[in-house]
Amino acid sequence: MKTFKKFVAEQKNTHMTHIEDKVLYGGVTGTRDAILALRSLRDMMKGNHSGNVSVKWDGAPAIFAGIDPRDGKFFVAKKGIFNKNPKVYKTNADIDADASGDLAEKLKESLKYFSGLGIKGVIQGDLLFTKSDLKSETIDGVDYVTFHPNKIVYAVEKDSKDAEEIRKAKIGVVWHTSYIGDSFENMRASYGVDVTKLKKNPAVWQQDAMLRDLTKVATLSDKETDTVNKHLARAGQLFNQIKGSTLRELEKDQKLGQTIEQFNNTFVRAGTEIGDTTQHVRNLIIFINDKYQKQIDSKKTEKGKQAWRDKQSEAMKFFSPENKKSLIAMFDLQKSIVAAKLLLINKLNSIKNIKTFLKTTKGFRSTEPEGYVAIDKLAGNAVKLVNRYEFSTSNFDPTILAGWSK
């Protein structure tokens, strides 16, 4: 059976696709690999697979730190590290030339404190807090030390050992990806960072996000395994009903895949699941036609209007009777993948050890972690699992406050 090491080719970890969207963008191979990845995760949670799972922390900004292979000097960086001309910061002056305000201060703190960790190569993480971000708050009658880097509020009980360490720290970070290579251009990612190899510094509260030995804390029961197996078996049956040519067309036309994902995301924003998939395909066609019609209506000249009519006509050629039938099966397959994914996520949610909340205009509301990354510890590859109806929906909810909200 294929495992994670053949699921995701090593690549720079600046964006990870949701597992169900591998069907949209990965063609036949991506669809097959999505199913196989969930099978591997199921096996991992039964103690039969060499893998680990890490928690996705909702930190900000993404931070890179390490040694520039071009000159051997220490740097910190944002995602611009992988630009054609890599953007890295080796001095406070470098930071001031490119950033300002709170971001600049966080980058300066990162440069100051991470330089003493003895980082080999390059590692990537998410910044969780600097000293001024820490707060003492009472939530549901419990006193916590909290930090709120993005959407999720992390809360550690005030009298705990973790809270004591956090209060002493100047900066907090979770590391999740390592890179090796003789240039930024050809660096390859390995998911996971062994923080035990980094120097300890009480000024840096650092985590590696790993949940090790799941068989002791998140073992699937026989009933849960049977349920996952039913969803995956259904996914396999639906996969066989989809024309390979349909998936290959989608794989070649990434713009169409993005439009379909955009349409699906209207359901995520509303916090509702996709219902009847036959109607879903009909509504998708209406959605795409409407997008083109808006462009047609916005043009003042007949020539401009005709150009967009031609684009509309070309785009709609994809929706042949055969492709529409395959799309219905594809959306049903995505639903099966999501159902299996959510069961596995819910099992993993039972082992969180730091409380997570959303800060709303009416107070705090308990929430689950952002999601998980399942990692093959032999190959170092990974797949993202997020409950989009829980976490992604909050990104579009105006009543939920981000850490930088006033």
Side-chain angles (χ1 to χ4, degrees):
M1 177 184 295
K2 182 187 287 188
T3 61
F4 287 121
K5 65 183 178 181
K6 293 186 179 180
F7 174 67
V8 181
E10 289 178 327
Q11 55 188 310
K12 297 173 179 65
N13 183 15
T14 55
H15 176 74
M16 293 178 67
T17 303
H18 291 278
I19 189 170
E20 61 269 27
D21 287 339
K22 293 291 182 183
V23 180
L24 288 178
Y25 300 114
V28 173
T29 300
T31 304
R32 182 183 297 113
D33 286 350
I35 297 171
L36 292 175
L38 286 173
R39 289 179 182 171
S40 273
L41 181 56
R42 171 204 61 195
D43 293 344
M44 187 189 307
M45 295 174 71
K46 290 291 288 183
N48 300 323
H49 182 70
S50 58
N52 282 324
V53 173
S54 70
V55 179
K56 277 184 64 62
W57 289 69
D58 187 34
I63 193 81
F64 295 77
I67 306 301
D68 187 332
R70 299 170 299 181
D71 61 13
K73 294 182 179 180
F74 182 83
F75 73 91
V76 295
K78 302 177 294 182
K79 290 185 178 179
I81 185 177
F82 297 125
N83 290 348
K84 186 175 181 180
N85 296 312
K87 187 174 291 186
V88 299
Y89 312 115
K90 299 173 183 176
T91 66
N92 285 350
D94 291 340
I95 295 169
D96 287 332
D98 188 58
S100 61
D102 185 60
L103 175 59
E105 291 307 310
K106 281 179 164 43
L107 289 171
K108 289 176 183 178
E109 292 287 280
S110 299
L111 183 64
K112 177 180 180 179
Y113 292 108
F114 297 163
S115 61
L117 297 179
I119 297 171
K120 307 295 184 183
V122 176
I123 58 178
Q124 177 186 352
D126 291 300
L127 205 62
L128 299 177
F129 63 84
T130 51
K131 195 70 173 178
S132 62
D133 299 317
L134 299 178
K135 295 181 180 180
S136 296
E137 298 188 89
T138 301
I139 304 174
D140 297 333
V142 180
D143 294 330
Y144 295 102
V145 174
T146 68
F147 47 94
H148 189 187
N150 200 354
K151 283 288 188 177
I152 291 179
V153 177
Y154 294 95
V156 183
E157 291 195 27
K158 184 184 69 173
D159 295 328
S160 67
K161 181 180 178 181
D162 277 338
E164 181 182 356
E165 292 176 352
I166 288 169
R167 282 192 294 265
K168 290 179 180 178
K170 303 292 186 181
I171 193 169
V173 63
V174 56
W175 301 113
H176 54 69
T177 308
S178 304
Y179 293 88
I180 57 172
D182 57 13
S183 72
F184 291 123
E185 184 179 18
N186 68 14
M187 279 188 172
R188 297 173 70 81
S190 175
Y191 294 92
V193 174
D194 187 354
V195 295
T196 63
K197 294 183 178 179
L198 300 179
K199 293 179 181 178
K200 293 184 178 180
N201 181 347
V204 181
W205 190 74
Q206 55 186 343
Q207 304 289 303
D208 66 5
M210 300 303 297
L211 299 174
R212 295 179 175 83
D213 197 4
L214 295 178
T215 55
K216 294 181 180 179
V217 290
T219 303
L220 291 173
S221 67
D222 290 341
K223 183 178 179 180
E224 289 166 334
T225 303
D226 286 343
T227 303
V228 172
N229 287 343
K230 287 176 182 177
H231 291 311
L232 294 180
R234 175 63 175 157
Q237 293 168 358
L238 290 162
F239 184 30
N240 290 330
Q241 296 174 21
I242 303 172
K243 288 285 186 180
S245 57
T246 303
L247 293 174
R248 284 189 288 272
E249 282 186 70
L250 277 173
E251 184 178 15
K252 289 179 181 178
D253 190 348
Q254 296 287 293
K255 186 175 181 180
L256 177 58
Q258 289 167 3
T259 302
I260 295 174
E261 183 183 3
Q262 183 184 12
F263 176 65
N264 287 347
N265 281 344
T266 62
F267 289 81
V268 173
R269 291 189 184 202
T272 59
E273 297 182 12
I274 294 171
D276 180 86
T277 50
T278 300
Q279 186 61 46
H280 192 69
V281 171
R282 294 193 194 105
N283 291 339
L284 169 64
I285 294 171
I286 293 171
F287 176 81
I288 294 175
N289 264 319
D290 284 348
K291 285 177 69 71
Y292 280 100
Q293 191 60 50
K294 286 179 181 177
Q295 290 292 336
I296 293 168
D297 293 341
S298 71
K299 304 307 172 186
K300 295 181 179 180
T301 67
E302 182 57 31
K303 182 178 179 180
K305 291 179 182 292
Q306 188 58 48
W308 277 97
R309 290 191 191 103
D310 292 342
K311 292 179 182 180
Q312 181 184 39
S313 178
E314 184 63 28
M316 299 316 295
K317 288 180 181 178
F318 172 79
F319 295 96
S320 65
E322 184 178 79
N323 277 350
K324 284 193 282 188
K325 183 177 179 181
S326 287
L327 282 173
I328 292 168
M330 186 191 78
F331 288 128
D332 279 326
L333 186 151
Q334 283 188 303
K335 289 172 66 174
S336 293
I337 288 175
V338 169
K341 176 188 76 169
L342 291 179
L343 191 151
L344 296 171
I345 287 174
N346 288 338
K347 191 68 175 181
L348 291 169
N349 283 344
S350 66
I351 60 177
K352 69 176 182 177
N353 55 8
I354 291 183
K355 296 290 182 66
T356 48
F357 298 91
L358 295 174
K359 188 175 184 179
T360 77
T361 53
K362 296 182 179 180
F364 290 96
R365 186 177 85 203
S366 180
T367 190
E368 301 297 348
E370 178 187 352
Y372 301 90
V373 178
I375 302 166
D376 187 307
K377 64 186 178 185
L378 297 179
N381 296 320
V383 56
K384 179 171 71 173
L385 300 105
V386 174
N387 182 345
R388 297 166 88 171
Y389 299 105
E390 167 73 21
F391 181 76
S392 302
T393 300
S394 68
N395 287 329
F396 306 113
D397 187 341
T399 69
I400 295 174
L401 305 177
W404 56 87
S405 300
K406 300 297 183 183

